[in-house]
Amino acid sequence: MSGKKSYYKIIILLFLVVVTILAFYDANYGSNNIGTFFDKYLNESGSDNDSYGNEDDLAGAVPAGSIVIEEDGKSTFVPYGKGFMHFTRDGVKFYSSLGALSWNDVYTIVSPVVVTGGSYSAVIDILGKTARVYNESGLVYTIQTDESICYAALNKNGNAVLILNGKNDYRVQVYNSSGKLKFQRFDEDAGVYPVCADISDDNNVLAVSYTDTSDIDILSKVLFFYTSKTEGSGADMFAACEVKDEIVVSLNFMSADEYACVSDKAVFAVDSSGETVWRNETGNEIRSFAFSEEGYMAVGYGKEILSGAEAEKEGTVVLYNFGGRKTGTAQLDGDISDIYAGEYYAVACADDVFYGIKANGNILWEYAPLQDVSAVIPVDNSGKVLYVASNHANIKDMSR
C-alpha cells in the first residue's frame, strides 16, 4: 500500500513539474493561454466577499453598452445632467445618456485639455493655438490665437480667459460668449510670469495670479482688472494682493467679488479690493484640489513638509465651503493623486482606489477597480457614476 502511495506522489509531482514548465514557456514565449485559463478559473471560483466589483471590472473587459475608447485617445468626460461630453484628440461627442449620441464635432488637437464653467466646456490645445467652446447644443465659438496657449478658464456665461506665451512677452486675453476679444494685456517684465486667471460671473472683473522671481524671495501677486473700458481703464490694474514666499497656482471665482486661491502653502480667499477674506494654512504638501460650483472645495493633503505648522495626517481630504469653514474631513489609505468635486459629492483617488466623499467628510463608497481607471464621475446622488477605463467608459452603481 505504501508503494502505491509513493507511486501516486511521484506521478503528481511529475505532473506539477510539467505544468510549471509549460506555463513558464507559454507565459514567456507563447500566448499565455495556460496562465489565462488559471486566472479565469481562480476568478470564477473566488469568494462572494470580493469588494473589488463584478466581472465588468476585469482587466481588458469591455461590457456591453460601453463607450469604446481608442488607445491614446486622451479621453476626457464632462457630465451634463444625465448626459455627458466625451472629448478626445479627434473630436467631441455629446451623449444625452449612455449610448444615446446627440451630436459630434470633429477636430484635430494634439494636446487637448478640457476646462468647464457653468453649462460650457472648452477644449484647449495646450502649447497650441486653438480653443473650442461648447454647450449642450454644440459648438458655440472657436478661438485661433497667434501665440501658444499655456492656460485657459471659463466662467459660467461662456466667457474665456487665455494666457498666451509669446516670443517676447506673455498675453492675458478675455473673450466674450460669442468669441470676440474684449480684453488684452501684455506682460513684458523680466522674471514675472502669469500663472492662472479667472473671470467674475458678471463678466466684468478679471483676476490674474503672477509669480515674481525678479528678487531673492518669490512673490505672488493677484492683480484685478476691469474687462470693460466703461468701468475702468481696460488693461489698468485697480487692485492687488501680494503673498510672499508662495506660488498661487489656482484662482476660482466664488461669489460676489471673492476668489478662492490655492498656493503651495495655503487655501485662502481674496476680494476684488485686494483684501484677504480668510486663510487656511497647512503644513502639508497639497497633492490635489478641486472646486465645485455647488459652493465647496475639496483639498487632498500629502506628507508633512513644514514643521511647526498645523498639519493634517497624510492622505486626508478636507472639504471647505466658500466661506473658508472646514465642513468635513476624510482619511484615505494611500497617496492622493486626484480629486473631482461634483454637483452631488466629491471623488478622490488614493493609490488607485476611488472614494465617494460627502461635504461633511462621510465616505459613501469605496471602489478598487481591477483595471486601469482614470476617472470616476458621479452622475446622480443615488450612487451611479461614470467610470473611465483605458479602453471604455460605462455606468456603475456604487450603491450595490
Side-chain angles (χ1 to χ4, degrees):
M1 194 74 173
S2 61
K4 285 187 176 181
K5 286 184 178 179
S6 299
Y7 171 76
Y8 288 133
K9 286 181 180 179
I10 293 172
I11 293 297
I12 292 171
L13 287 172
L14 286 173
F15 173 76
L16 292 174
V17 169
V18 170
V19 170
T20 301
I21 293 173
L22 288 174
F24 173 80
Y25 276 93
D26 185 46
N28 289 275
Y29 305 106
S31 56
N32 199 29
N33 292 326
I34 296 176
T36 302
F37 169 79
F38 281 106
D39 285 342
K40 183 175 185 297
Y41 173 77
L42 291 172
N43 282 321
E44 289 179 349
S45 59
S47 71
D48 293 334
N49 296 323
D50 188 356
S51 63
Y52 288 90
N54 53 38
E55 61 185 6
D56 292 345
D57 300 319
L58 297 180
V62 179
S66 297
I67 296 174
V68 177
I69 297 175
E70 296 183 3
E71 186 177 358
D72 297 328
K74 291 283 290 183
S75 286
T76 300
F77 287 80
V78 178
Y80 276 83
K82 294 182 179 179
F84 46 86
M85 287 187 192
H86 177 202
F87 291 90
T88 69
R89 287 191 175 104
D90 302 318
V92 56
K93 295 179 180 180
F94 180 78
Y95 296 86
S96 57
S97 61
L98 188 69
L101 179 63
S102 296
W103 55 261
N104 71 292
D105 185 43
V106 178
Y107 55 73
T108 300
I109 289 181
V110 177
S111 301
V113 171
V114 177
V115 297
T116 62
S119 61
Y120 294 87
S121 295
V123 59
I124 314 297
D125 192 3
I126 290 296
L127 301 183
K129 300 179 180 180
T130 301
R132 301 172 70 85
V133 179
Y134 298 87
N135 60 18
E136 293 181 63
S137 300
L139 180 65
V140 180
Y141 63 86
T142 300
I143 300 171
Q144 197 68 36
T145 65
D146 55 359
E147 301 291 354
S148 299
I149 303 170
C150 56
Y151 181 86
L154 286 175
N155 75 355
K156 72 174 187 178
N157 303 313
N159 284 230
V161 54
L162 303 179
I163 298 178
L164 309 181
N165 185 1
K167 293 181 180 179
N168 302 310
D169 59 20
Y170 285 89
R171 301 180 196 178
V172 181
Q173 297 180 335
V174 175
Y175 294 82
N176 66 15
S177 58
S178 300
K180 182 180 179 181
L181 181 66
K182 60 182 291 187
F183 173 96
Q184 183 166 220
R185 172 182 167 84
F186 295 85
D187 292 298
E188 299 177 332
D189 295 340
V192 181
Y193 310 98
V195 178
C196 56
D198 201 10
I199 318 166
S200 61
D201 283 350
D202 62 7
N203 310 322
N204 293 326
V205 177
L206 169 70
V208 185
S209 169
Y210 289 88
T211 297
D212 187 345
T213 63
S214 60
D215 206 345
I216 297 176
D217 297 323
I218 290 178
L219 181 67
S220 280
K221 302 176 182 178
V222 179
L223 308 185
F224 295 89
F225 307 89
Y226 289 119
T227 61
S228 172
K229 289 185 178 181
T230 60
E231 299 184 48
S233 54
D236 291 335
M237 175 187 70
F238 70 87
C241 174
E242 293 188 354
V243 185
K244 294 181 179 179
D245 297 324
E246 293 182 39
I247 299 176
V248 177
V249 297
S250 179
L251 283 174
N252 188 80
F253 178 79
M254 296 189 299
S255 59
D257 63 345
E258 296 178 0
Y259 291 76
C261 306
V262 178
S263 76
D264 54 332
K265 294 182 180 178
V267 179
F268 61 99
V270 297
D271 62 24
S272 59
S273 68
E275 295 297 321
T276 299
V277 182
W278 53 261
R279 181 179 173 88
N280 292 315
E281 293 193 13
T282 177
N284 298 78
E285 175 188 24
I286 296 178
R287 298 288 292 136
S288 186
F289 59 87
F291 299 96
S292 170
E293 293 185 354
E294 300 306 307
Y296 75 93
M297 67 187 77
V299 183
Y301 292 102
K303 61 184 179 181
E304 185 176 347
I305 57 175
L306 296 175
S307 60
E310 183 178 352
E312 302 286 348
K313 186 177 180 182
E314 183 176 358
T316 299
V317 174
V318 177
L319 291 304
Y320 301 95
N321 63 21
F322 279 178
R325 184 175 66 86
K326 184 188 295 186
T327 63
T329 61
Q331 182 61 52
L332 310 185
D333 295 327
D335 181 37
I336 298 171
S337 58
D338 192 30
I339 289 181
Y340 171 84
E343 177 181 356
Y344 306 103
Y345 52 87
V347 175
C349 180
D351 287 354
D352 299 323
V353 179
F354 293 85
Y355 302 82
I357 307 171
K358 293 185 68 175
N360 61 6
N362 288 345
I363 296 179
L364 299 171
W365 48 258
E366 181 178 331
Y367 173 46
L370 296 181
Q371 58 184 313
D372 290 336
V373 170
S374 60
V376 174
I377 303 169
V379 296
D380 60 25
N381 58 8
S382 70
K384 289 183 179 180
V385 301
L386 176 75
Y387 72 89
V388 183
S390 59
N391 60 353
H392 74 281
N394 208 329
I395 299 295
K396 187 176 182 66
D397 191 347
M398 294 300 185
S399 64
R400 293 180 179 178

